[in-house]
Amino acid sequence: MGPTGVGKSSFINTAIGRDAPPVGHDLKSGTAEIVHAIVPYPSDPNRRVIFIDTPGFDDTYVDDSEILRRIAVWLARSYSDDMKLAGVIYLHGISQTRMLGTSLKNLSMFRKLCGNDALKNIILATTKWGDIEDEAGLSREEQLRSTFWKDMIGHGSRMGQFRDNYESAWKIVDMIATAEPLDALSRA
């Protein structure tokens, strides 16, 4: 999950090794509906990972409340099919120069959706590292850790970096792959 244009579809496509959800390259939002991709877990082919690509907050065509409704319906249907949610990856573009009101609103909405009990199964991951010098990115990452994400990290959320490669994508997924399922979110 995350704002539109942050790289949610690109993250999934990199992790699964193919273009399953289409990636938007226009000024308009690219993902309009919830799309999923199922792949074997690399270190245990008997286990599967289901990636869910959601429309971004601040979508070009759909308001945030409708996006949240769609996610809640998908989660409820999945839960009734005995599918358990292990965690959520919230993506944030590290090349973003300011944490503006829209980004803060999106983060607040995401946090309310998850609730404090689920925060230990949330990975706050940064994207777009290729668009910025590492020194500036690391400085922004520290500001996210110490200010904007501080409370979520205090409740157990962890941070990761998606560096536009398979290894970094799976390193983030591995952070939640062994976690207990999230009853609070999976019953949304």
Side-chain angles (χ1 to χ4, degrees), residues 119-137:
L119 290 178
K120 66 185 181 300
N121 293 67
I122 304 301
I123 306 303
L124 303 163
T126 50
T127 63
K128 312 270 184 188
W129 282 89
D131 296 347
I132 190 171
E133 295 293 326
D134 262 8
E135 186 177 330

Side-chain angles (χ1 to χ4, degrees), residues 103-175:
S103 296
L104 292 172
K105 182 185 100 177
N106 291 339
L107 187 61
S108 174
M109 189 171 24
F110 174 74
R111 173 132 191 223
K112 287 177 185 172
L113 173 69
C114 296
N116 284 342
D117 292 341
L119 290 178
K120 66 185 181 300
N121 293 67
I122 304 301
I123 306 303
L124 303 163
T126 50
T127 63
K128 312 270 184 188
W129 282 89
D131 296 347
I132 190 171
E133 295 293 326
D134 262 8
E135 186 177 330
L138 293 170
S139 174
R140 289 180 189 164
E141 186 180 56
E142 182 52 38
Q143 290 174 39
L144 289 168
R145 179 187 331 278
S146 64
T147 306
F148 301 104
W149 294 350
K150 181 179 181 178
D151 191 52
M152 293 176 74
I153 292 169
H155 282 89
S157 295
R158 289 166 285 157
M159 291 177 65
Q161 295 177 356
F162 174 52
R163 297 283 187 145
D164 293 320
N165 60 53
Y166 180 87
E167 292 77 20
S168 66
W170 280 99
K171 187 175 180 180
I172 291 167
V173 174
D174 286 342
M175 292 172 143

Side-chain angles (χ1 to χ4, degrees), residues 56-59 62-68 105-106 109:
F57 299 124
D58 284 337
D59 187 82
V62 182
D63 68 23
D64 292 345
S65 61
E66 175 59 18
I67 290 169
L68 288 174
K105 182 185 100 177
N106 291 339
M109 189 171 24

Side-chain angles (χ1 to χ4, degrees), residues 9 21-22 30-36 52-56 59 62 66-67 69-71 74:
S9 300
T31 304
E33 299 294 328
I34 294 176
V35 179
H36 71 276
I52 312 304
D53 192 17
T54 63
D59 187 82
V62 182
E66 175 59 18
I67 290 169
R69 187 196 69 75
R70 289 178 186 178
I71 293 168
W74 194 95

